[in-house]
Amino acid sequence: MGKENELTFLQKASIQWNSFRKFLWNSEEKTVLGRNGKSWAQISLFYLVFYACLAIFWAIMLIVFLQTITEDKPKWTSYIGTPGLYQIPQPEEKLNMIRFNMKDEKSYEKYTKPMRKLYDQYVENMANSNAVNCTDGGVRPDDRDTICEFDIEEAFGDGVCNPENDFGYKLGTPCIFIGLNRVWGWEPENYDKDDVPREIVDNGYMKNFITIGCEVYKDVSTQLNNTEISPKAGISFKYYPYLGAANDNYKNDYVSPLVAVRFSLFKKNTEVRLVCKSYAANITPGTGLFDTGFPSELRLDLTINTK
């Protein structure tokens, strides 16, 4: 008998629909969505005041924040105090490893391709840039907004570190490009006369230049024939400080100066670990919030195969 009194699906649906309609508009109690006119007025006023106060608070915080920043420099410049070294090409392997066969173009194409792309970008930038030809000697003009041009063709000269020679890879004397990461406002300083490191004194250290030096790791000198660096003096002080973080025109015209390093190994078909370092009086680790105790250097495992 219980089943005879049980409502059908359509009857249940009809009851639920009538309840929903009554919730939307209850003609007996004159309510919409369960609230009468007074209740709707009260809750509307509450949220109007709440969001108005929220908007005012946000606007005040934005105004206070804008008073603490300027358009000519970043808000924070102390996260990284001194620049580190980077290289082109950057191998895809986790370890910084360059391995190729000097007789097989395909084996070194992955290294020369990004170098050629960067080289062409620098040449194009040189043609379209508003940078000026600064005087030699590593001295930056007094006008801090002046950008000194970096002519990559002139800087690397007539050596093998150019596209015509596949950047030395087909000759078995590969090149890499080395630069310094951009750190806003950082300016290199010269060493005092008695503080110049011995390893760069012997290699022709020049004032007003950031010296770049490369050697075999842990001084296994028998494996390295010679290293040629262009420009030989290193990176001129005239390109610093970098001030382009908040200036779009400056960023468009500024290119990071580079040096080309050509390696020549006595031993072929053998992996050789190399280390390159940058030298200036104020390139020291640990001077910024996120700086580590590691010096400004990079390590590279190089293998030149001939068979």
Side-chain angles (χ1 to χ4, degrees):
M1 294 184 61
K3 292 184 178 181
E4 294 176 359
N5 297 326
E6 187 175 319
L7 297 176
T8 64
F9 172 78
L10 293 178
Q11 289 173 328
K12 291 180 180 179
S14 178
I15 293 173
Q16 292 176 351
W17 172 245
N18 289 331
S19 297
F20 179 68
R21 288 175 58 191
K22 190 173 184 180
F23 171 73
L24 292 177
W25 166 245
N26 189 327
S27 59
E28 297 176 358
E29 299 181 2
K30 307 299 183 182
T31 60
V32 177
L33 300 178
R35 293 180 179 273
N36 58 23
K38 181 180 179 181
S39 178
W40 276 113
Q42 289 174 335
I43 195 170
S44 298
L45 180 61
F46 169 79
Y47 279 108
L48 178 64
V49 174
F50 173 76
Y51 283 113
C53 292
L54 193 63
I56 293 172
F57 175 78
W58 181 85
I60 293 174
M61 293 298 100
L62 179 61
I63 292 172
V64 171
F65 171 73
L66 292 176
Q67 302 307 309
T68 66
I69 63 175
T70 61
E71 295 183 357
D72 61 341
K73 64 178 293 186
K75 169 64 176 176
W76 304 110
T77 59
S78 60
Y79 287 105
I80 299 177
T82 55
L85 289 178
Y86 69 90
Q87 73 177 64
I88 302 294
Q90 296 179 336
E92 297 178 356
E93 296 84 356
K94 291 183 178 180
L95 296 176
N96 195 15
M97 181 183 302
I98 293 180
R99 178 180 297 170
F100 68 96
N101 189 320
M102 57 182 291
K103 299 179 181 179
D104 182 6
E105 183 178 353
K106 291 184 178 180
S107 70
Y108 56 77
E109 187 178 36
K110 59 183 177 181
Y111 305 125
T112 59
K113 187 175 180 179
M115 297 180 72
R116 187 182 302 273
K117 180 179 179 180
L118 182 68
Y119 192 97
D120 292 341
Q121 287 176 348
Y122 271 58
V123 172
E124 181 180 358
N125 180 275
M126 178 69 181
N128 302 319
S129 174
N130 293 318
V132 300
N133 185 5
C134 301
T135 58
D136 294 331
V139 180
R140 184 183 179 87
D142 293 334
D143 183 4
R144 290 171 66 88
D145 291 331
T146 298
I147 302 173
C148 296
E149 66 182 11
F150 178 76
D151 188 343
I152 194 170
E153 295 178 301
E154 179 182 343
F156 295 170
D158 298 327
V160 300
C161 296
N162 54 56
E164 289 73 20
N165 293 312
D166 283 335
F167 302 99
Y169 284 78
K170 68 180 181 182
L171 305 176
T173 56
C175 301
I176 63 172
F177 298 155
I178 292 181
L180 291 172
N181 296 317
R182 297 179 182 179
V183 176
W184 192 96
W186 178 81
E187 295 186 67
E189 298 175 358
N190 286 307
Y191 289 102
D192 292 333
K193 183 177 180 180
D194 297 331
D195 294 334
V196 181
R198 182 181 299 274
E199 60 265 30
I200 64 174
V201 171
D202 297 337
N203 292 328
Y205 165 72
M206 291 182 61
K207 292 183 63 176
N208 298 326
F209 284 87
I210 301 171
T211 304
I212 305 296
C214 297
E215 60 187 4
V216 175
Y217 185 59
K218 293 189 176 179
D219 195 30
V220 189
S221 57
T222 56
Q223 294 178 333
L224 184 63
N225 186 353
N226 62 66
T227 301
E228 291 184 6
I229 297 178
S230 302
K232 185 176 181 181
I235 299 175
S236 172
F237 283 12
K238 66 185 179 183
Y239 300 109
Y240 300 94
Y242 170 70
L243 304 173
N247 186 325
D248 289 337
N249 292 330
Y250 192 106
K251 287 189 291 186
N252 293 334
D253 290 332
Y254 183 90
V255 295
S256 298
L258 302 171
V259 297
V261 182
R262 185 185 70 85
F263 299 107
S264 178
L265 302 182
F266 274 123
K267 292 187 176 181
K268 301 295 193 291
N269 308 302
T270 301
E271 182 178 290
V272 179
R273 174 161 291 185
L274 306 166
V275 58
C276 295
K277 302 178 182 180
S278 59
Y279 296 88
N282 58 336
I283 296 186
T284 55
T287 58
L289 184 60
F290 292 133
D291 281 341
T292 66
F294 296 102
S296 179
E297 66 178 38
L298 63 84
R299 296 179 185 179
L300 169 69
D301 292 330
L302 176 62
T303 305
I304 304 174
N305 292 319
T306 60
K307 54 185 177 181

